[in-house]
Amino acid sequence: MAVERKTETPALVGKFWPAYRDRALLLVGGTQLFIYAIAILAMFTFHVSINPLEWLAIIAVGIASIIVICVVVLGVLRPLGDLSRALVHISGEPTGLTAPNLNDDYYAKSHLRPLLQLIYELAASQPESTELPAKANASKPAKHALDVPSLLNNTSTGIIMLNSDHEVIYTNQSAPVHTDQHGTTKIDLLFDASDSIDTWLAERGDHDIRAEHVWRRIADKLPGEEGRRLFDIYVSYQKGSEAETILTLFDQTEQYGPEDEDLDFIAFAAHELRGPITVIRGYLDTLNDELQQALSGDQKELFSRLIVSANRLSGYINNILNASRYDRRHLKVHLNELPVSDIYESISDDMLLRAQSQQRVLNVNIPTSLPTVAADSDSIGEVISNLIDNAIKYSNPGGTIEVSAILAGDFVEVSVRDHGIGMPSNVVANLFHKFYRSHRSREAVAGSGIGLYITKAIVESHGGTISVQSVEGEGSTFTFTLPVYASVAAKLKAAGGDNDMLIERSSSGWIKNHGAFRG
């Protein structure tokens, strides 16, 4: 916890150590250099005969000795430097240096660990700001103490405090919590398990003295449940404090709620449209087969475009329905042992047709020698299809789209790369959020904004991850992973082939979590 210093001058604590270190090195190195200079002067005074090679040896030894002495001095001064770094961190000054890690064996061997621990504990025990001097308050009448808990209960902003064991020690009335049968307070928030509070706190370890993080659009209940609220959450972490973690929850239900209602309506409409679209696709395939010999080149091209458009529309409908199921934590898949090359082969004709119809070149390199993966063929086919569609949309006519796969540890890593318009970093950060579309893409490219959202859902439901690297003006590379079947065979056998055990995450028990799905 930072201690507020009310001083006249804005002197920075962090300036002490660099200045002291530089002065020490200058003093020691300068002294050594002075001694050598005196010795050389004495040689000249007494006319000591030394040949050029011996002079070079003397100079080399002098330089080496200065370097060695400086290294030794830095080693001797290291404890002072570490104490200085610790003080900089608890002072709250901005710094690019990390706080000393108490688990470092050096601190145990040098007996410095108790000093560092004392500094951290003293900082955590200090109030956020100092009291006014007694003399300044003497002329003012004493005020009654504020009833802070009652005041916090009057706000719609939720407040939750956790101790160092991640146990709830305080909540106000607006916080989404419940008490279980054992009298333990538990938090009702539906996090993505790969980015939950317990995961974030576990990453703090002994390296961070303080840290902050923000989650957006986190729900306390599943869609359709009565009284569902959506929050933007700000968390503040201060190591060693009595309330080590403080969550501030801003109720954004009014802002985000209409989008959930829109998705319900869209899902209903998509469900009704799926039947007619399936019929249209069937008729188009039948007509295309029966009329192949009678159609001219232009007519065949027209049929190809109709089939591509019908398939794309069918894909949009499936995406919407999957997104709706995903929000309700019903995205369950049955996983089989499959080669990635076979999964791609099942959609290869459609992908080639889509690329050719948009004047794109599709290069595919998925070795048949790769280990088999645990996957649902239709779902992963949809993932690859979504990523290739995305690459087609955001690349240029005549551009090349590369699909490849490699083995990476216990995972097979599949990448889809384009050389198109790319994306700035602020777009990449929000890319997998539901309904997110950048201002530029809304104007230039048609789409619903949920394709990548559901793609992430499918990949995570397989126990994999998805990421993107992009450079504006140069293109983007989407990469997702699937577990090698042999690495998860035992879990799948125990679950009857279902994906439940692949999306389990360790939990401390104080967060209500429905697995690797985000609300």
Side-chain angles (χ1 to χ4, degrees), residues 111-140:
H111 304 288
L112 190 61
R113 182 179 293 168
L115 288 177
L116 290 171
Q117 184 67 43
L118 179 62
I119 289 174
Y120 293 154
E121 290 176 355
L122 288 174
S125 65
Q126 294 296 317
E128 284 294 329
S129 59
T130 57
E131 295 287 339
L132 290 174
K135 184 177 180 180
N137 286 326
S139 60
K140 297 182 179 180

Side-chain angles (χ1 to χ4, degrees), residues 173-208:
Q173 289 183 357
S174 297
V177 296
H178 74 278
T179 303
D180 66 11
Q181 58 186 356
H182 303 294
T184 303
T185 301
K186 299 202 172 185
I187 302 175
D188 296 328
L189 291 172
L190 303 179
F191 284 92
D192 181 335
S194 63
D195 187 27
S196 65
I197 296 177
D198 51 351
T199 302
W200 183 79
L201 287 174
E203 292 172 352
R204 305 284 65 80
D206 292 311
H207 298 281
D208 291 331

Side-chain angles (χ1 to χ4, degrees), residues 268-421:
F268 173 78
H271 187 272
E272 296 299 309
L273 287 170
R274 185 165 61 171
I277 290 298
T278 302
V279 173
I280 291 172
R281 289 180 62 195
Y283 281 137
L284 284 173
D285 289 339
T286 301
L287 287 172
N288 189 49
D289 291 339
E290 293 182 354
L291 298 177
Q292 272 299 313
Q293 303 303 321
L295 294 176
S296 66
D298 289 343
Q299 291 170 333
K300 289 180 180 179
E301 177 65 21
L302 178 61
F303 255 97
S304 294
R305 289 179 180 272
L306 286 171
I307 292 171
V308 168
S309 296
N311 289 342
R312 183 175 292 115
L313 183 57
S314 179
Y316 289 155
I317 289 172
N318 286 334
N319 277 345
I320 293 169
L321 292 173
N322 279 336
S324 178
R325 289 196 294 270
Y326 178 48
D327 273 1
R328 285 155 178 74
R329 309 310 194 264
H330 295 159
L331 189 57
K332 303 293 184 182
V333 288
H334 187 83
L335 305 181
N336 300 297
E337 182 178 7
L338 296 167
V340 177
S341 56
D342 284 5
I343 297 174
Y344 182 78
E345 186 63 28
S346 68
I347 62 169
S348 60
D349 291 342
D350 192 27
M351 294 299 97
L352 184 60
L353 191 58
R354 293 188 197 185
Q356 290 176 343
S357 67
Q358 298 296 320
Q359 294 83 49
R360 307 295 195 272
V361 178
L362 192 59
N363 287 340
V364 181
N365 180 23
I366 302 179
T368 56
S369 58
L370 286 172
T372 55
V373 295
D376 173 75
S377 182
D378 290 341
S379 296
I380 297 304
E382 184 177 350
V383 167
I384 299 174
S385 175
N386 281 345
L387 295 180
I388 292 177
D389 264 346
N390 220 51
I392 290 173
K393 289 178 185 177
Y394 294 100
S395 58
N396 303 310
T400 299
I401 296 165
E402 300 158 10
V403 183
S404 61
I406 61 172
L407 180 63
D410 289 334
F411 292 85
V412 171
E413 193 174 88
V414 182
S415 296
V416 177
R417 181 183 182 188
D418 67 71
H419 303 274
I421 61 176

Side-chain angles (χ1 to χ4, degrees), residues 17 21 25 69-79:
W17 167 241
R21 178 196 60 204
L25 291 175
I69 288 176
C70 287
V71 171
V72 171
V73 168
L74 287 176
V76 172
L77 293 180
R78 177 179 171 179

